[in-house]
Amino acid sequence: MSGVAVRAGMNARQTAASVVVVDYGLGNLRSVTRGLERAGASVELIDDPGALDAADGVVLPGVGAFSEGMDNAGPFREALVEQAEAGTPLFGICLGMQMLLTTSEEAERVGQGDAEGLDLVPGRNVRFSHDLTVPHMGWNELDVQRDHPLVEGVDGEYAYFVHSYYADPDDSEAAVATTDYGTDFASVVANDRGNVFGTQFHPEKSGETGLRILRNFVDICGK
């Protein structure tokens, strides 16, 4: 069980969680913001790393390439790591989840060399096998591997994916949930402490399953 406890029966819409969404130029900001507001959060888009300090929780969304994401998010790197080390819940979505890891072979494939992630969940992002259709796009099932408050109530439910690379954590225990697409890959990851986590899928596009996950996140932030 992770170090973050969930409060059974809590209606996330009753929490008073203040959540910041990091705007570094590559996020699906409008949909993510609307989803978090539906989940009961007070949401602020921020483009200033100093604004992370006052938040109950931080969301790092993202679409696009790993190297570009890390370049754009460079001004936030130190602040994000500081918040994670301070115990603030940090939620990476899609590319944002991949950026929580150490590195990605995507940068190597396009000749960009070693692009360093945040290294908050040690591991590497790898490309799906060449015999699979990429990107992996559409609805697929979540198979919860261990307890974490983010995935409370979603085992066996379906979420919406769009990605060509997936997380391969160094520690198998970092895989909170897996999904089958030619291989079982980590679709939800978390650090040892439990306060840094991410989803490869888009909760803001995943209907009631995604809303449940966002409510779980707001609940974590509001405790």
Side-chain angles (χ1 to χ4, degrees):
M1 182 68 178
S2 75
V4 181
V6 67
R7 291 174 294 171
M10 167 67 78
N11 183 333
R13 286 170 291 185
Q14 295 175 344
T15 66
S18 173
V19 174
V20 296
V21 177
V22 179
D23 180 3
Y24 61 101
L26 291 177
N28 190 18
L29 302 179
R30 182 171 296 180
S31 296
V32 170
T33 298
R34 283 202 303 260
L36 288 164
E37 289 173 343
R38 285 188 65 201
S42 171
V43 185
E44 181 181 3
L45 291 175
I46 60 106
D47 57 11
D48 174 13
L52 271 63
D53 291 342
D56 296 321
V58 178
V59 176
L60 181 66
V63 292
F66 183 87
S67 183
E68 184 181 7
M70 289 311 307
D71 284 346
N72 282 26
F76 288 92
R77 179 188 289 269
E78 183 176 350
L80 288 167
V81 171
E82 287 177 355
Q83 290 303 307
E85 291 177 348
T88 302
L90 172 58
F91 184 8
I93 295 175
C94 196
L95 175 62
M97 184 195 96
Q98 295 182 5
M99 290 162 62
L100 300 177
L101 274 72
T102 310
T103 189
S104 175
E105 71 175 25
E106 180 177 10
E108 297 172 4
R109 290 177 62 93
V110 297
Q112 295 172 329
D114 292 331
E116 296 183 1
L118 296 170
D119 196 29
L120 295 171
V121 180
R124 179 176 174 83
N125 297 289
V126 298
R127 186 176 172 85
F128 282 113
S129 171
H130 64 83
D131 59 345
L132 294 171
T133 299
V134 293
H136 167 221
M137 181 181 296
W139 296 85
N140 209 337
E141 187 175 3
L142 305 177
D143 183 7
V144 172
Q145 301 297 309
R146 65 176 179 87
D147 289 341
H148 189 285
L150 188 71
V151 295
E152 182 77 18
V154 301
D155 188 25
E157 300 295 335
Y158 282 71
Y160 188 79
F161 293 82
V162 183
H163 62 119
S164 300
Y165 293 78
Y166 63 91
D168 183 19
D170 290 348
D171 183 355
S172 62
E173 286 295 306
V176 174
T178 59
T179 296
D180 180 19
Y181 187 65
T183 186
D184 285 332
F185 68 90
S187 49
V188 181
V189 300
N191 66 346
D192 289 342
R193 188 174 179 181
N195 69 301
V196 176
F197 38 80
T199 61
Q200 182 60 73
F201 55 90
H202 289 274
E204 76 279 7
K205 297 181 179 179
S206 297
E208 288 301 315
T209 299
L211 182 59
R212 176 63 185 265
I213 286 174
L214 293 176
R215 285 176 174 163
N216 288 345
F217 170 63
V218 174
D219 190 26
I220 293 168
C221 296
K223 75 183 190 68

